[in-house]
Amino acid sequence: MKVVSKTIQVSSKGENDIIDITQELSNVVKGSNIENGTVTFFVSGSTAAITTIEYEPGLIADFPEMLSRIVPKNIEYKHDNAWHDGNGHSHVRASLLGPSLTVPVIHGNLTLGTWQQIVLLEMDTRPRNRNVILQIMGE
Ligand code: ZN
């Protein structure tokens, strides 16, 4: 079994930026020469998340609206009281969604559905540069 680790950099525009990184990740997986196995995608940082979504304008609007219903911005966060950085909701949203995703790789391809894109979700209140780590395991 081989293990290949790579990092890509993604720049976000700030809160609720949802960035389709499917093609870039797929290219890195193909370049690893691992035909069959699994790949884990992981974003470093406690105010960003990775998930899958159908990347179309309706859902790109619906998803942040869902987040504001479940984790509202304008309530008290102990984090903000302690650190005064105004992003308590960002941390809670990122923890809820999670920083990583595992996808099976078969014949060198990610086993995604046609309408299933991999996205980086920026939860922080300002633009950030994010490192997304890929660890591909297989043969
Ligand atoms: Zn913070």
Side-chain angles (χ1 to χ4, degrees), residues 46-47 79-80 83-88 90-91 124:
S46 59
T47 52
H79 175 81
D80 294 338
W83 300 98
H84 306 289
D85 56 358
N87 68 355
S90 312
H91 288 281
D124 214 339

